[in-house]
Amino acid sequence: MEWIDFATPKSVSEAVEMMASKGDRARAMAGGTDVLVQLRGGRRSADLVVDMKEIPELNELSYSAQNGLTLGAAVPCYRIYQDKAVIDNYPGLIDAASLIGGIQIQGRASIGGNLCNAAPSGDSIPPIIALSGVANITGPNGNRQVPVEDFCTGPGQNVLQNGEILVSLTIPAPQPHSGANYLRFIPRNEMDIAVAGVGTSVLLDASGQNFVSARISLASVAPTPVFSQAAGDSLAGKAVSDEAIQEASEKAMADAKPINDMRGTVRQRVHLVGVLTRRTLNNAIQRARGG
Amino acid sequence: MVSNPAEANIVLSEVEFEVVGKRPIRPDGVDKVTGRAQYGADINLSGLIHGKVLRSPHAHARIKSIDTSKAEAYPGVRAVVTAKNLPFASLSKEDLGGDYMRLKFASDHVLASDKVLFKGHPVAAVAANNPHVAEEAIKLINVDYEVLPPVLDVLEAMKDDAPLLHEELRTTSLGETSEKPSNIAAHLRYEKGDAEVGFAAADVVVEKEFRTAAVHQGYIEPHNGTAFWNTDGQLSIWTSTQGAFAVRGSVADVLRQPVSKVKVTPMEIGGGFGGKITAYLDAIAALLSQKSGAPVKVVMSRVDVFEASGPAPATWMKVKIGATKDGKFTAVKAELSFEAGAYPGSPVMQGMMCSFGCYDVPNGLIDGYDVVVNKPKTAAYRAPGSPQAAFGVESVVDDIAHQLGIDPIEIRLLNAAKEGTRRIEGPVANRIGLVECLEAARDHDHYKKPLGPGQRGRGVACGYWMNRSFSSSLSMTVNYDGIVTLIMGSVDIGGTRASIAQQTAETLGIAYENVKPTVVDTDSIGYTFITGGSRTSFATGWAAIEAAEEVKKLMVARAARIWDTSEDDVEYADGVIQHRSDPELRMTFKDLARQLANTGGAITGSANVEPAGEGNGYAVHLVDVEVDPETGKTDILRFTAVQDAGKAVHPSYVEGQMQGGAVQGIGWALNEEYFFDDKGQMMNSSFLDYRMPTSLDLPMIDTVIVEVANPGHPYGVRGVGEAAIVPPMAAIANAINGAAGVRLNSLPMTPGNVLDALSGDGQ
């Protein structure tokens, strides 16, 4: 392993300055559960690692009915699934935060880091896409916002330019009669990488019998997490039924463009997208109905 | 006799002893739980420097040249070595004669000379002041390769036109050597009766082909080796191994040194399961030490362990069994082709020996092929060869039971090997416990309980491992405080310090706590075979019993001397030495120990043994599974392991062996596999993607220890380390067949493969 400088900025502006000074030779680190493994294994290299955990804005975890959830980019998973407001309002997010790694990993790993790592299999990304999350970015040229479904651009690649950092994610407050769920398929029961994953959110009408809208997002079936707009849109305005759910699952399957690798085959992954879309939709509907 | 079938862990015992069969605290326990135990990588010598190995990026290539000049010039580098530094490089074919091929394979496996034969094959090594410098320096070594097409599958490798790994390798077939070079190193055969006559007499015949993937033992501690080659020519090695003498032998061999010039100190070992017998790094560390003059430590990464240590072989097998309509087997036949990896030496012979070891068959024919492929050279893995063979055989036995409508345990009982059964490869069984194990499984609460709702199935399979003996050396000293110090050459992987101390205490009639066992280096004890083959509690235990008997004799003689009487007047019973007719003359073991110093000095007993009479080991497993028909995922709901221990010296450790074997078998059955791309690159060389089961994937593994005393051991002990990994793959395949109605003939039975089978293709 080569020499690497390590810095711990205390403010967003200091962090941006440090990141900008090294360009693409700087790596941001939150929990480090991806970046340290990659550096050690030679899959990434860097001259400077910038620790984001001591910047207040990146540790913010707050909720209001008006602004929704602000999730600092370095907030570790355990804080998310122990937070009362998240438990009450975003069970679909808890699904992901509580299944990433084991207890030790959840004590360090952040959802912001999971997003920046931009793995197609990142478990927290589909639920945030399903929940209409937005990434709040700061860089040398100021602030900008990017919908999470547009954040990842390839395996391990994202929209961040040199010097830019992800400060936080914003997730709108849930509407009445809405529900969300994330499920992944792994061959074991825990501690594994998704062969396929599906995050869904649904908004039902007051009767709970009809879809107003839905958002569906897929993991591990393309170079980036997939926002399957066609699948979600197919449900809008329809009565809740097995047929509608089946149709949405077929549209999601059509949006899955996986590869064969040691974790699964194309056929298996497309099939699993169908299974998981149906299962998550049913779970999300149940949550929307208050179940 | 305990026999409550509702209880989780059960010991069905025939005989009780004072110390043997109890569950005392292990001597190495405190150091291990407090983190003070010294494992291989913990060694830190004065002036220690660090080695790194440059490994081949190709599965098959010719080495055209190696340029180490830049690495040698790199600041902080102390030595660089390649195969040119091995003695083999300066020996000719004429010098070596018949030993040429063997030494070439052994030397090339340490450091490749002319060809690399698997991804990860060592080609050079660097020692430097710290591991980071060494890591940078190996990147500066320039190797010019001519990349060759890799051979990655056993059946492909056996074809006449397959690319050859070794141009000089000929097939040894039933005593003949082929003219043409081949990837088939050996063809072996066992035969009993006439299989064709037997099949002609059968009412039902089932024949199927099977495949199993290469799997790794998955020990938690990576390989390591530290060497210091002193200027007086003495080479010292500290390493994590199952056999210090095995390391001494192989290092002395490739370095062309007399064995007494090499001293190997076995450190605490973090798991081995057969994979820590081959010495991968020790000779490299020695060469680096020779060149640098400093002690050198080399440690593998996890990727190195996966890519360049020794997995269990992938196999292709064909199994055929014929039976009468009553279920009695009339003939059996098997063809086993095992991938040896880069060099010959797969455990195909053991697979052949074990394949029908559970059954009394009148006619049998078994052929085995040892085949080289461009994968790491395979190594032993817990009952080497037997689990693969059992996957095929026990699946076919289940199919026959189904076809005939016979209960799967009953058909196994009907054909079970028992005392007097002649196995296909020749030996006749002594008193063995397979029938008792099958009966215990049949009578267990698990077998009687209904499966419940859902897509569930129950599977049964049995497994056999012959168990080994080989030689063991041990000595013990009676100290003046009455404590007996015990030194042995058997490395302790599974609690053998405890089990040997127990047998010592039992024989001497003293408390377990008064025996202090230590594992020592190769200069301090006589030659002792590896800890493997389920031999140590049996064979080294036997040595302890013999040495203790000698101590008893010497204690009697000393008491006679003190009492000025004849030795014939003194007896030793239950740790007390007393005069046969004068009740006044009586000493406890401790009383006499206190007087030893002034009455003739210390008392030691020693024994070098190679006992015959190792009793065969049998296991029977029951498993309940549930298959998710939408995802193909199999969940293990309940698992019961039954095994004949002969006599469980320390029942907790026997249960641990049974549970550990079962869990490794579950991993082998469901998810574990070496996944290669078409260039021979292993794609899953980490514990993330090499999917061993975690605690969250497993139910409690219930155990039933059956004790059918081994007549070949004073306390009835049989080896217990291996039989437990044999049944799970077939038991789970049989259970999946019950749950989902699909018979999987390939391992692993991943969700994807189950899905393919459910959709009617793939298998």
Side-chain angles (χ1 to χ4, degrees):
Chain A
M1 193 166 175
E2 54 223 301
W3 294 110
I4 293 171
D5 289 332
F6 185 84
T8 309
K10 310 283 184 205
S11 69
V12 169
S13 57
E14 198 187 346
V16 167
E17 199 177 307
M18 284 174 175
M19 293 292 291
S21 72
K22 294 286 180 182
D24 62 1
R25 299 298 300 158
R27 295 294 312 169
M29 183 183 104
T33 57
D34 281 313
V35 77
L36 292 183
V37 176
Q38 290 159 355
L39 289 169
R40 200 186 162 120
R43 278 180 290 142
R44 281 195 197 274
S45 69
D47 295 335
L48 173 67
V49 170
V50 182
D51 177 6
M52 300 290 172
K53 287 192 301 298
E54 295 197 12
I55 305 171
E57 289 88 336
L58 277 86
N59 283 300
E60 184 181 348
L61 179 61
S62 63
Y63 174 76
S64 72
Q66 214 156 27
N67 301 325
L69 185 72
T70 302
L71 175 56
V75 175
C77 288
Y78 86 94
R79 275 184 65 197
I80 298 168
Y81 63 64
Q82 289 181 0
D83 187 274
K84 178 89 172 50
V86 181
I87 294 168
D88 291 346
N89 294 293
Y90 303 97
L93 191 55
I94 305 265
D95 294 338
S98 58
L99 61 64
I100 293 173
I103 297 285
Q104 295 93 331
I105 295 291
Q106 289 162 7
R108 304 246 345 151
S110 66
I111 283 183
N114 198 223
L115 178 60
C116 290
N117 187 55
S121 57
D123 282 307
S124 70
I125 306 173
I128 292 182
I129 293 174
L131 291 166
S132 307
V134 172
N136 302 308
I137 297 165
T138 299
N141 304 319
N143 301 331
R144 63 183 177 124
Q145 290 197 314
V146 174
V148 171
E149 58 264 34
D150 298 331
F151 189 87
C152 300
T153 55
Q157 294 169 324
N158 60 44
V159 296
L160 293 178
Q161 301 296 310
N162 287 345
E164 281 190 326
I165 63 171
L166 177 69
V167 175
S168 63
L169 298 164
T170 305
I171 303 175
Q175 299 183 51
H177 314 296
S178 68
N181 181 226
Y182 175 73
L183 289 176
R184 65 175 179 187
F185 180 77
I186 53 174
R188 293 182 290 188
N189 289 338
E190 292 294 340
M191 314 279 278
D192 216 329
I193 289 191
V195 178
V198 177
T200 60
S201 71
V202 298
L203 176 62
L204 306 183
D205 66 8
S207 74
Q209 300 306 314
N210 301 292
F211 292 106
V212 174
S213 64
R215 285 172 68 91
I216 296 174
S217 176
L218 321 174
S220 289
V221 290
T224 63
V226 173
F227 174 44
S228 179
Q229 192 163 2
D233 288 353
S234 78
L235 294 168
K238 285 209 182 111
V240 174
S241 69
D242 287 346
E243 293 70 35
I245 290 169
Q246 177 66 29
E247 191 192 332
S249 75
E250 283 165 17
K251 293 210 182 299
M253 288 165 78
D255 278 346
K257 303 280 185 262
I259 55 166
N260 290 317
D261 68 8
M262 70 278 190
R263 293 175 189 147
T265 62
V266 168
R267 189 171 120 156
Q268 180 192 11
R269 284 176 156 137
V270 171
H271 170 83
L272 287 171
V273 163
V275 173
L276 296 175
T277 301
R278 294 190 290 275
R279 288 183 182 180
T280 51
L281 279 172
N282 280 315
N283 291 340
I285 291 162
Q286 206 163 8
R287 281 176 174 167
R289 288 169 174 169
Chain B
M1 181 128 178
V2 186
S3 64
N4 176 6
E7 220 170 90
N9 292 328
I10 303 167
V11 181
L12 302 172
S13 191
E14 288 187 343
V15 215
E16 296 295 338
F17 298 101
E18 291 297 320
V19 186
V20 165
K22 302 296 189 295
R23 303 172 186 247
I25 288 172
R26 61 196 296 159
D28 47 318
V30 169
D31 274 354
K32 284 181 174 163
V33 300
T34 56
R36 289 194 173 85
Q38 295 278 306
Y39 291 86
D42 294 326
I43 191 92
N44 210 350
L45 303 165
S46 174
L48 183 79
I49 61 172
H50 300 268
K52 290 277 174 192
V53 176
L54 177 69
R55 298 176 179 280
S56 168
H58 308 294
H60 195 191
R62 207 174 299 284
I63 298 171
K64 290 162 76 179
S65 66
I66 304 177
D67 180 358
T68 60
S69 55
K70 279 189 193 145
E72 279 167 58
Y74 193 72
V77 168
R78 302 274 292 274
V80 181
V81 296
T82 67
K84 288 204 169 75
N85 299 90
L86 281 166
F88 178 76
S90 42
L91 294 168
S92 70
K93 244 182 193 171
E94 291 68 43
D95 295 336
L96 289 162
D99 208 23
Y100 170 78
M101 285 290 276
R102 191 197 59 76
L103 187 67
K104 176 171 169 53
F105 288 166
S107 296
D108 281 356
H109 194 204
V110 172
L111 281 166
S113 61
D114 50 355
K115 279 179 93 176
V116 288
L117 297 167
F118 57 98
K119 160 97 192 295
H121 198 156
V123 289
V126 170
N129 291 339
N130 70 55
H132 308 294
V133 169
E135 202 171 289
E136 291 306 302
I138 59 169
K139 295 179 193 161
L140 303 174
I141 296 172
N142 189 15
V143 186
D144 189 8
Y145 293 104
E146 176 195 345
V147 179
L148 302 169
V151 187
L152 298 169
D153 172 77
V154 62
L155 293 185
E156 293 296 317
M158 291 173 81
K159 287 182 179 163
D160 277 345
D161 58 349
L164 291 172
L165 273 77
H166 306 284
E167 284 81 359
E168 290 158 309
L169 183 64
R170 301 286 187 282
T171 307
T172 311
S173 177
L174 313 180
E176 306 279 319
T177 303
S178 68
E179 292 287 318
K180 260 182 60 181
S182 167
N183 292 323
I184 305 171
H187 167 213
L188 311 164
R189 172 173 286 178
Y190 293 131
E191 193 166 10
K192 176 187 175 185
D194 187 329
E196 290 317 312
V197 170
F199 286 122
D203 297 311
V204 53
V205 175
V206 174
E207 182 175 28
K208 281 190 171 160
E209 292 180 19
F210 298 88
R211 273 184 178 270
T212 71
V215 294
H216 198 270
Q217 300 84 353
Y219 35 80
I220 200 73
E221 178 205 26
H223 290 271
N224 52 77
T226 301
F228 179 54
W229 206 331
N230 209 342
T231 43
D232 63 3
Q234 288 291 332
L235 171 58
S236 298
I237 289 172
W238 297 262
T239 190
S240 172
T241 177
Q242 291 176 239
F245 289 90
V247 173
R248 184 182 74 167
S250 61
V251 168
D253 180 40
V254 296
L255 299 179
R256 304 274 94 186
Q257 294 291 315
V259 287
S260 54
K261 287 273 187 193
V262 183
K263 181 175 94 171
V264 177
T265 304
M267 306 295 287
E268 285 293 345
I269 178 168
F273 312 107
K276 287 210 183 117
I277 301 168
T278 310
Y280 297 102
L281 301 172
D282 309 286
I284 293 174
L287 290 176
L288 290 169
S289 177
Q290 185 185 38
K291 218 168 166 183
S292 65
V296 179
K297 175 157 74 178
V298 191
V299 181
M300 283 195 187
S301 68
R302 181 60 59 187
V303 173
D304 296 341
V305 171
F306 273 116
E307 293 188 340
S309 68
T315 67
W316 173 90
M317 301 174 292
K318 189 148 81 173
V319 177
K320 184 176 178 182
I321 299 179
T324 65
K325 58 183 184 309
D326 302 326
K328 193 83 186 140
F329 297 163
T330 58
V332 300
K333 197 172 165 183
E335 199 181 321
L336 310 178
S337 294
F338 278 31
E339 290 181 0
Y343 300 99
S346 77
V348 69
M349 188 200 276
Q350 292 96 313
M352 294 164 68
M353 291 163 79
C354 292
S355 50
F356 296 103
C358 290
Y359 300 109
D360 184 358
V361 290
N363 304 293
L365 178 65
I366 309 169
D367 283 290
Y369 298 89
D370 185 38
V371 184
V372 293
V373 294
N374 290 113
K375 296 181 184 176
K377 180 182 185 326
T378 56
Y381 179 15
R382 212 167 193 159
S386 187
Q388 294 96 327
F391 172 58
V393 169
E394 291 295 293
S395 296
V396 171
V397 169
D398 225 55
D399 279 347
I400 293 206
H402 272 282
Q403 285 195 22
L404 294 172
I406 301 176
D407 174 87
I409 291 185
E410 291 305 330
I411 199 167
R412 288 171 169 88
L413 272 169
L414 183 66
N415 293 287
K418 51 184 86 65
E419 186 171 2
T421 296
R422 179 176 288 283
R423 294 201 303 272
I424 296 169
E425 80 276 18
V428 175
N430 210 323
R431 181 76 175 93
I432 51 174
L434 175 59
V435 167
E436 287 78 0
C437 287
L438 285 163
E439 287 170 348
R442 181 193 60 197
D443 299 340
H444 197 279
D445 166 67
H446 182 166
Y447 202 59
K448 297 173 184 158
K449 206 172 171 193
L451 273 168
Q455 286 219 309
R456 296 183 178 187
R458 176 167 296 155
V460 180
C462 42
Y464 163 75
W465 178 248
M466 62 289 268
N467 286 336
R468 298 298 201 176
S469 175
F470 303 117
S471 48
S472 285
S473 182
L474 175 145
S475 75
M476 58 180 73
T477 301
V478 182
N479 291 280
Y480 304 149
D481 57 1
I483 301 292
V484 174
T485 43
L486 192 61
I487 64 171
M488 54 184 138
S490 283
V491 171
D492 183 357
I493 296 191
T496 52
R497 270 170 292 200
S499 71
I500 309 296
Q502 283 178 278
Q503 295 181 61
T504 304
E506 184 75 45
T507 309
L508 291 174
I510 63 176
Y512 165 82
E513 290 71 23
N514 292 342
V515 181
K516 189 179 162 194
T518 308
V519 179
V520 294
D521 65 68
T522 53
D523 278 1
S524 306
I525 194 78
Y527 176 82
T528 299
F529 194 74
I530 59 160
T531 293
S534 298
R535 64 173 292 276
T536 305
S537 286
F538 169 78
T540 308
W542 189 294
I545 294 165
E546 265 197 34
E549 291 294 347
E550 190 189 353
V551 164
K552 282 161 72 172
K553 278 200 193 102
L554 293 169
M555 293 288 269
V556 164
R558 187 64 59 86
R561 180 169 159 176
I562 293 168
W563 292 329
D564 195 17
T565 184
S566 158
E567 286 175 29
D568 297 339
D569 293 335
V570 180
E571 64 178 1
Y572 185 116
D574 298 330
V576 174
I577 302 97
Q578 58 190 14
H579 196 279
R580 286 180 197 274
S581 51
D582 184 348
E584 299 275 295
L585 297 178
R586 183 179 186 282
M587 285 185 282
T588 65
F589 189 86
K590 231 171 210 174
D591 293 337
L592 179 51
R594 210 171 289 129
Q595 299 184 41
L596 292 179
N598 306 320
T599 58
I603 282 178
T604 65
S606 65
N608 295 288
V609 301
E610 190 175 351
E614 65 271 27
N616 303 144
Y618 287 92
V620 177
H621 288 182
L622 302 174
V623 60
D624 293 355
V625 305
E626 180 159 5
V627 176
D628 180 339
E630 280 198 314
T631 65
K633 182 162 179 272
T634 300
D635 278 318
I636 307 289
L637 302 175
R638 186 171 182 184
F639 202 107
T640 304
V642 185
Q643 191 171 328
D644 175 19
K647 178 69 200 174
V649 179
H650 193 305
S652 300
Y653 301 164
V654 173
E655 287 154 5
Q657 292 292 334
M658 294 164 69
Q659 292 168 325
V663 167
Q664 287 184 312
I666 290 169
W668 197 334
L670 292 180
N671 284 304
E672 291 183 39
E673 67 177 313
Y674 269 57
F675 193 100
F676 292 97
D677 71 4
D678 59 1
K679 294 188 174 63
Q681 307 275 332
M682 185 181 181
M683 303 307 285
N684 60 336
S685 55
S686 79
F687 279 139
L688 184 59
D689 283 313
Y690 181 86
R691 293 176 160 122
M692 295 174 72
T694 74
S695 60
L696 300 163
D697 301 304
L698 300 162
M700 180 64 188
I701 310 291
D702 292 337
T703 60
V704 179
I705 300 174
V706 172
E707 294 189 336
V708 175
N710 171 20
H713 184 279
Y715 301 128
V717 173
R718 296 172 197 275
V720 294
E722 286 165 295
I725 200 176
V726 181
M729 289 69 99
I732 292 168
N734 295 341
I736 289 174
N737 193 22
V742 288
R743 163 66 64 192
L744 277 87
N745 298 330
S746 283
L747 296 181
M749 299 175 280
T750 59
N753 289 342
V754 172
L755 266 187
D756 285 347
L758 284 168
S759 66
D761 53 50
Q763 290 284 322

